[in-house]
Amino acid sequence: AGKPGPSPGESRAAYGAGLASLGEAGSEIDIEVRVSNWEYRSGGMWRALSLGTEERLAKQKRDSSIIELVLCTCLMTLSANILINYLMRRKDRSHLYFHAFAAIVAMRTLFTGEYLAYMVLPGIPFEAVIKLEYLSVIACPSALCERSWSPAPMARAISASPPMPSPARAMETNQPMYE
């Protein structure tokens, strides 16, 4: 793990989730946790300590990592499928932007939760992981901002659809919402 300290200059951030064997059952143990958090959005410990048998804790960690890996794989598969759709029909650029969105969300799963990025790149600096996590939050909406989804084409699509009953329309025309 990192090195906690009273100031950012005296600390070193790191992510070091793992299992520690505490000895024989029934023996008394004092657990001391030292935490400083100068880099991350939520201060203090991110999660509570989990106590239990080594096998149960290892299974929990493995199951959680598998779920996140499956989610990431599904999102990458979706992203690839959308990219193939775009390549087959380049005229519609919305597929390209949705591909970017799905790829960014898939990438985000690597840098949150169980931090699977550390399994692939164990030497990656903690600061880089946090910056990539924050970047994914900013990049997701940006990927969805595409010209064909701008107000003008959307307004044309909405105006071409049949009118929906609404309280505002009923108040404008003094007609009942439903006849």
Side-chain angles (χ1 to χ4, degrees):
K3 178 184 162 223
S7 69
E10 298 176 52
S11 302
R12 185 177 53 83
Y15 176 77
L19 296 174
S21 184
L22 301 176
E24 294 295 316
S27 58
E28 191 173 305
I29 305 170
D30 288 330
I31 298 174
E32 184 177 323
V33 179
R34 294 182 185 193
V35 177
S36 65
N37 191 344
W38 302 100
E39 289 80 16
Y40 199 61
R41 62 184 157 79
S42 58
M45 287 180 53
W46 299 350
R47 299 181 188 149
L49 290 176
S50 296
L51 300 176
T53 64
E54 198 170 342
E55 295 81 26
R56 186 182 64 83
L57 293 174
K59 183 182 180 330
Q60 277 181 335
K61 171 84 171 132
R62 185 182 63 248
D63 291 351
S64 183
S65 294
I66 288 171
I67 288 169
E68 286 193 15
L69 191 59
V70 167
L71 175 62
C72 182
T73 304
C74 289
L75 287 166
M76 288 306 290
T77 304
L78 173 69
S79 177
N81 185 11
I82 295 167
L83 181 61
I84 290 168
N85 286 341
Y86 168 72
L87 293 174
M88 291 172 53
R89 189 175 173 206
R90 291 178 191 254
K91 197 173 189 180
D92 184 7
R93 293 186 62 185
S94 62
H95 287 99
L96 179 63
Y97 291 96
F98 192 58
H99 155 71
F101 174 77
I104 291 166
V105 172
M107 182 202 71
R108 182 170 168 73
T109 62
L110 297 174
F111 297 103
T112 57
E114 293 297 325
Y115 290 88
L116 297 175
Y118 281 111
M119 293 168 80
V120 179
L121 306 165
I124 190 169
F126 181 76
E127 184 179 353
V129 171
I130 297 305
K131 285 181 179 179
L132 286 168
E133 178 185 347
Y134 291 161
L135 180 65
S136 70
V137 171
I138 296 166
C140 279
S142 301
L144 291 178
C145 292
E146 200 269 316
R147 251 182 101 191
S148 70
W149 297 346
S150 66
M154 288 297 275
R156 283 195 301 273
I158 291 170
S159 65
S161 65
M164 296 292 289
S166 71
R169 187 169 299 198
M171 288 171 42
E172 283 177 8
T173 59
N174 287 332
Q175 294 181 353
M177 282 179 31
Y178 300 99
E179 296 179 17

